Amino acid sequence: MTIKRLVAAMLLATSSNSVLAEESFTVQDIQVEGLQRVALGAALNNLPFTVGDTVTDYSLSRSIRALYSAGHFDDIKVYRDGNTVIFRVRERPTINAIEFDGNKDIKEEQLLESLSGYKVETGEPLDKTVLKSIENGLVEFYHGVGKYQAEVNMDVTYLPRNRVDLKVKFEEGDAASVRQINIVGNKLFSDEELLKNIESLQDLPWWRFMSSDRYQKQTLQGDIEKITSYYLDRGYLRFNIDSSQVSVSPDKTSVYVTLNVTEGEQYTINGVKFVGDLIGQDEFINQVLPIKNGQLYNGALVTYTEESISKLLARFGYANSKVRTIPKINDDNKDVELTISVEPGKRVYVRRIAVSGNANTKDEVVRRELRQMEGAWLSNDALELSKQRIQRLPYIESVEFETLPVAGIDDLVDVGFNIKEQPSGSFNAGISYGNYMGLSFQVGVQQENFFGSGNSAGINLSTNKYQKSLSLSYTDPYFTLDGISLGGQLFYSDLDYSSASSNLEAYNYTRYGAGASIGYPINEYNRLNFGANYVVNKINSIQEYDQLRHFRAVLLDAQNPDGGYRFTNYELSAGWVRSTLNRGLFPTAGHYLGATVKATTPNSDLKYYKMVFEARNYIPLSNDHSWSFLSKVELGYGNGYGSDEGYDFTLPFTENFNAGGSNLRGFESRIIGPHAIFRSADSVPGLPGSGQSGFPTGPEDDHYQVSQRSIGGNAMAVATLELITPTPFLSDDYRNSVRTSIFVDAGNVWDTEFDIDRYAGLTQLQNGQRQPGLIDYADPGLIRATAGVSLQWISPMGPLTFSLAKIIKKQEGDLQENFSFNIGTTF
């Protein structure tokens, strides 16, 4: 005890003498030597004392640490000369440039962002102590993606004026493949059944070169979760993956994965109750609750229930709700009681909505599509609907929104909609080449966002060997604040087939007039449209064919049979559109339904009606919608109503449906469907000396010819199946403006009024040669089909479409058009 007291006394004396010996002095001057780039004031600001302060040796040691913490110096020494404190420093070199070499798996942008986290940036001082940490971090990343042979070295090159160049050298090596995945402890499900649900692939044969068995740490973690979910979704509540080991082969080219599992037993649900605040929606939530007593526990169903309740609360402004399920497990009875805790939190309101990215489109055009209002509570449904409505506009490529909390207020947020526009003007042109028509061309300008107003204006001119047309149109989709649209159009066309020597159905058709349309929104997805047109028609130089007999009987002036046909029609139309498409151009999800009925009024020269129905359905096949499936149907039917002097009105041939070209790719335009039949009488020689060359025989001896091209029909059905795929060799940045697809088109055009019995027993002649029997143009079963690939691009001139198709099934007389190119057409 005496010795311990003696030691303690000696230590205390030593400590006291040290404190008394520490000398203090008043600083009269501070000098910093070795500064090059760092300003003297910046260095002095980091010191814990200034001139006039009393300091000790301890204060000086603290000052060194303070200067080091500023990050400007590699070496610092402090000296005392009387009452002057002198710091001698060596500044850290400034990074002049950063270069990367050999990196393939990591983009330079990612590397620069990662280095900035270590404050390694151009123009900044270099702290060499962090270089090793950066190297190790990058190597660890490569190990995580299966590249165990990777090496990373950071070379520093010193330059004059205390500058350095930093070069990061990568030797990535090859990725290790998954040689084998073993699951130990599973008895209920085989390895094959469990492994077919995961993304990691093992020991692939050579012929599966399109797949990858590359090991990636993140992928394996996801696979472990999938296996866990597989058991939890089937009631195995106590399932657990006890351990996972990844062994690397000596040559670092392969890995072996082993998972040790405990399966446990199945548990059933024995009661579900709620705690917390259900904001008065208790009855509704209980009615739609998918979890029922007595069923097996299902982890996916529990998660779905939590998400559904959160979405329901978000509809009423509770955007920050917390919903969690607390299981109370009874291992004796193998059941579980679920308690769903609901904490809605505060109702969140929207203070302000900002729109950005709309360089060409006025703010009001975007805001009128919003269903989330400022001052109202925040609703995820309203935000998603707003995004969808904006994205349906044909001049918007993509829309994203974000909610930003207001600083200091926990129940207010600001909402920002960021818009990416796409070309709203369209140079509408078409170029195609066929065996018969040769080169045809049309041109026009359509502006879907006229001066940023959201209004549509267009002028279209079409001209080719046989046709000239001009149309002017203008539509205001928001003529009223309620979304009532108003539009008008003027049009003129002159179709001249009278000089077409190889076109047997020659005629000249002039059409002009004016029209107006109005639309009424029913709800967010449905709309009614109404229209009226005044149309003047003139048809001259027509080469009469047999299907025109009713048309001729009604309109032809017996006193002037060469005067052609002149008729004026007053057209009324009504239509219904339902659209849930996610985008205006290049949609990938949702459906479109459209039906239109057009009819002439009873005081028109011709009395007829025409109905068109279109349905499109897009089904996304991948989460990012890069793969999608399109099914499309177009149906049309028209006919006349009433009669005139015993002749029934029929659909005029100028209103016939046509197929081929854009709606049946691979066939020439106006080639599918009924052809014109030209009927001629046979004759017998006249009697010798009578002066007559011959006499016509009866109708039963007529012969006939069939035109080379279709005149169309009063009924049409066309269907399309299309697989939309990612465009090869193209960045994801262009996914919304370029589309590649594989398609199958099938359909037919027919004439329900055609009577093939009129031509029974007659002879068909073509170029003086007897031909086989006539096709029944009233048969809807004469289906044509094609298959091919299509590339579409929303270019600055408008949508461009390239199609390459091959005919699968055709009928006699059909002409193919393997390649076509159009501007201004999208599918």
Side-chain angles (χ1 to χ4, degrees):
M1 179 66 68
T2 304
I3 295 176
K4 289 183 179 180
R5 289 179 180 177
L6 179 59
V7 172
M10 292 175 62
L11 291 175
L12 181 59
T14 304
S15 177
S16 300
N17 291 335
S18 177
V19 171
L20 292 173
E22 184 176 352
E23 184 179 354
S24 62
F25 66 96
T26 301
V27 178
Q28 294 182 351
D29 189 20
I30 301 175
Q31 298 178 7
V32 182
E33 299 177 355
L35 294 177
Q36 297 182 32
R37 296 180 179 274
V38 180
L40 176 61
L44 295 177
N45 284 337
N46 293 292
L47 294 177
F49 58 83
T50 185
V51 174
D53 290 347
T54 300
V55 300
T56 63
D57 292 342
Y58 177 69
S59 302
L60 294 179
S61 66
R62 285 182 56 204
S63 68
I64 294 177
R65 289 196 296 269
L67 286 177
Y68 269 123
S69 65
H72 298 300
F73 307 110
D74 268 344
D75 185 56
I76 302 171
K77 294 179 180 178
V78 61
Y79 301 91
R80 175 186 173 189
D81 183 6
N83 290 338
T84 299
V85 178
I86 303 172
F87 291 93
R88 291 177 183 171
V89 300
R90 186 174 72 246
E91 292 184 355
R92 288 177 177 173
T94 302
I95 299 175
N96 178 66
I98 301 176
E99 182 184 354
F100 303 102
D101 180 38
N103 55 303
K104 297 179 181 178
D105 276 9
I106 313 178
K107 296 181 179 179
E108 287 194 8
E109 295 80 6
Q110 294 174 306
L111 287 169
L112 289 172
E113 183 179 353
S114 178
L115 291 179
S116 66
Y118 290 92
K119 297 183 179 181
V120 178
E121 298 176 279
T122 302
E124 293 293 327
L126 174 63
D127 182 3
K128 291 183 290 185
T129 61
V130 303
L131 296 185
K132 196 61 180 178
S133 297
I134 296 174
E135 291 177 352
N136 293 337
L138 290 172
V139 170
E140 185 177 349
F141 166 79
Y142 280 108
H143 287 180
V145 296
K147 292 194 171 184
Y148 290 98
Q149 298 173 328
E151 294 183 6
V152 179
N153 293 294
M154 306 186 74
D155 293 344
V156 179
T157 303
Y158 289 89
L159 303 174
R161 293 181 290 129
N162 201 25
R163 295 174 301 133
V164 294
D165 281 345
L166 186 62
K167 186 172 185 179
V168 188
K169 294 182 178 180
F170 296 85
E171 292 184 11
E172 295 183 338
D174 296 326
S177 61
V178 180
R179 181 58 57 86
Q180 191 173 9
I181 302 177
N182 298 310
I183 302 178
V184 179
N186 56 311
K187 299 177 181 178
L188 299 169
F189 304 103
S190 64
D191 287 8
E192 292 75 12
E193 189 171 357
L194 295 174
L195 295 179
K196 71 180 181 182
N197 299 301
I198 67 174
E199 293 185 24
S200 297
L201 303 176
Q202 58 176 332
D203 202 18
L204 292 176
W206 65 268
W207 59 83
R208 293 189 60 182
F209 59 90
M210 295 296 290
S211 302
S212 174
D213 55 4
R214 173 177 175 175
Y215 168 75
Q216 295 195 54
K217 184 178 180 179
Q218 290 184 341
T219 302
L220 179 61
Q221 293 298 325
D223 292 337
I224 290 175
E225 292 180 6
K226 287 183 179 180
I227 294 174
T228 301
S229 297
Y230 189 85
Y231 276 90
L232 292 179
D233 295 347
R234 287 156 180 78
Y236 295 94
L237 191 56
R238 291 296 193 187
F239 173 81
N240 185 53
I241 294 183
D242 303 320
S243 63
S244 60
Q245 298 92 32
V246 178
S247 303
V248 184
S249 63
D251 59 2
K252 298 183 179 181
T253 61
S254 303
V255 298
Y256 298 82
V257 179
T258 302
L259 303 178
N260 296 281
V261 305
T262 299
E263 293 179 316
E265 298 185 39
Q266 287 181 311
Y267 285 74
T268 58
I269 296 175
N270 182 23
V272 181
K273 64 179 182 179
F274 291 91
V275 295
D277 184 7
L278 298 182
I279 64 169
Q281 300 296 321
D282 309 51
E283 183 177 352
F284 176 77
I285 291 176
N286 279 289
Q287 287 178 351
V288 300
L289 187 68
I291 303 175
K292 305 297 180 185
N293 286 342
Q295 69 184 58
L296 285 175
Y297 177 86
N298 188 316
L301 203 57
V302 171
T303 302
Y304 172 76
T305 300
E306 294 172 346
E307 292 174 350
S308 299
I309 295 175
S310 294
K311 289 180 179 179
L312 175 65
L313 296 175
R315 290 178 58 188
F316 294 93
Y318 298 95
N320 300 319
S321 62
K322 296 179 181 179
V323 181
R324 57 193 181 95
T325 303
I326 305 168
K328 183 179 180 182
I329 303 174
N330 187 327
D331 290 317
D332 295 332
N333 298 329
K334 297 299 182 290
D335 59 27
V336 56
E337 182 182 358
L338 301 179
T339 300
I340 302 178
S341 173
V342 180
E343 298 177 17
K346 285 187 177 181
R347 177 174 279 181
V348 179
Y349 292 83
V350 176
R351 183 184 69 167
R352 184 179 297 112
I353 297 177
V355 178
S356 62
N358 51 322
N360 301 316
T361 307
K362 296 179 181 178
D363 260 22
E364 63 184 57
V365 175
V366 177
R367 289 182 177 275
R368 67 193 184 190
E369 303 295 336
L370 297 179
R371 293 303 178 261
Q372 173 68 65
M373 299 292 108
E374 293 178 341
W377 67 58
L378 180 68
S379 169
N380 286 344
D381 286 355
L383 288 175
E384 288 294 342
L385 182 58
S386 300
K387 173 183 175 179
Q388 192 178 71
R389 288 184 62 87
I390 297 171
Q391 213 162 238
R392 284 186 205 147
L393 298 175
Y395 38 88
I396 300 299
E397 179 178 331
S398 63
V399 181
E400 298 297 335
F401 66 83
E402 61 176 344
T403 57
L404 303 172
V406 177
I409 308 176
D410 58 359
D411 61 350
L412 276 184
V413 296
D414 291 335
V415 178
F417 282 88
N418 186 26
I419 294 170
K420 183 179 181 182
E421 296 176 311
Q422 62 190 10
S424 58
S426 171
F427 174 66
N428 181 15
I431 301 175
S432 63
Y433 185 84
N435 296 335
Y436 173 77
M437 290 291 291
L439 186 67
S440 62
F441 178 71
Q442 62 181 13
V443 62
V445 176
Q446 184 73 27
Q447 175 58 259
E448 298 293 344
N449 189 18
F450 192 62
F451 291 117
S453 65
N455 299 340
S456 173
I459 175 171
N460 289 279
L461 172 66
S462 176
T463 178
N464 56 37
K465 185 177 180 181
Y466 305 114
Q467 181 179 6
K468 296 177 181 179
S469 66
L470 175 66
S471 67
L472 303 173
S473 63
Y474 190 86
T475 301
D476 183 352
Y478 274 85
F479 183 70
T480 70
L481 294 177
D482 297 330
I484 295 177
S485 63
L486 184 65
Q489 61 172 336
L490 298 172
F491 51 88
Y492 170 85
S493 67
D494 185 7
L495 181 64
D496 188 4
Y497 281 162
S498 60
S499 61
S501 59
S502 60
N503 191 339
L504 296 180
E505 71 277 17
Y507 62 93
N508 176 264
Y509 176 37
T510 301
R511 179 177 183 266
Y512 60 89
S517 61
I518 189 170
Y520 295 89
I522 301 175
N523 53 36
E524 298 294 349
Y525 305 106
N526 295 273
R527 188 177 187 87
L528 294 178
N529 300 300
F530 302 94
N533 289 328
Y534 168 76
V535 187
V536 178
N537 303 269
K538 298 179 182 180
I539 301 178
N540 298 304
S541 306
I542 187 168
Q543 186 173 356
E544 305 285 356
Y545 52 91
D546 199 47
Q547 291 101 317
L548 286 180
R549 60 188 183 278
H550 286 269
F551 187 75
R552 182 170 53 247
V554 171
L555 289 179
L556 191 63
D557 184 359
Q559 304 300 321
N560 184 19
D562 296 328
Y565 305 97
R566 300 175 183 270
F567 52 98
T568 301
N569 290 332
Y570 305 91
E571 300 173 350
L572 298 177
S573 63
W576 162 72
V577 172
R578 174 179 173 81
S579 176
T580 64
L581 300 178
N582 63 335
R583 299 187 68 238
L585 289 177
F586 291 175
T588 55
H591 66 262
Y592 172 91
L593 300 174
T596 303
V597 177
K598 180 178 73 172
T600 58
T601 60
N603 62 329
S604 300
D605 292 334
L606 291 179
K607 301 177 181 61
Y608 65 89
Y609 61 91
K610 190 174 180 180
M611 300 179 293
V612 177
F613 174 77
E614 180 184 356
R616 286 180 284 146
N617 188 36
Y618 294 84
I619 303 174
L621 303 179
S622 60
N623 292 332
D624 62 354
H625 290 206
S626 59
W627 293 81
S628 186
F629 180 75
L630 163 64
S631 58
K632 178 181 176 182
V633 174
E634 293 181 86
L635 304 174
Y637 177 77
N639 215 327
Y641 68 92
S643 61
D644 184 14
E645 298 182 358
Y647 290 96
D648 292 335
F649 284 103
T650 58
L651 185 71
F653 74 96
T654 57
E655 293 289 336
N656 278 348
F657 296 100
N658 293 282
S662 61
N663 58 354
L664 263 175
R665 292 159 284 186
F667 289 97
E668 281 200 6
S669 178
R670 287 190 69 238
I671 200 65
I672 294 174
H675 290 225
I677 299 175
F678 298 88
R679 189 165 174 170
S680 304
D682 282 342
S683 61
V684 295
L687 295 173
S690 65
Q692 297 289 339
S693 60
F695 297 92
T697 59
E700 66 279 1
D701 296 322
D702 287 356
H703 68 269
Y704 63 90
Q705 289 179 292
V706 178
S707 67
Q708 192 171 2
R709 307 198 72 77
S710 170
I711 58 173
N714 71 330
M716 176 191 69
V718 176
T720 295
L721 298 178
E722 197 155 355
L723 177 64
I724 300 167
T725 68
T727 304
F729 314 113
L730 194 68
S731 168
D732 287 343
D733 296 338
Y734 300 97
R735 189 175 65 187
N736 290 331
S737 58
V738 179
R739 166 168 290 182
T740 307
S741 61
I742 303 170
F743 65 83
V744 175
D745 293 340
N748 186 27
V749 172
W750 67 98
D751 184 359
T752 61
E753 300 296 319
F754 183 77
D755 183 9
I756 195 172
D757 293 337
R758 284 177 51 84
Y759 312 98
L762 303 185
T763 301
Q764 180 185 167
L765 297 178
Q766 205 74 21
N767 298 324
Q769 302 293 322
R770 190 181 298 271
Q771 300 294 323
L774 184 65
I775 295 176
D776 186 1
Y777 295 131
D779 183 6
L782 300 176
I783 302 296
R784 282 82 164 174
T786 64
V789 295
S790 175
L791 175 67
Q792 300 170 65
W793 172 37
I794 303 177
S795 73
M797 293 189 301
L800 306 182
T801 302
F802 305 85
S803 297
L804 183 64
K806 180 177 178 58
I807 294 177
I808 299 175
K809 184 178 182 181
K810 67 177 184 176
Q811 303 295 333
E812 182 183 347
D814 292 344
L815 298 177
Q816 68 181 18
E817 183 181 78
N818 298 109
F819 176 77
S820 64
F821 162 60
N822 287 281
I823 302 179
T825 302
T826 58
F827 299 95

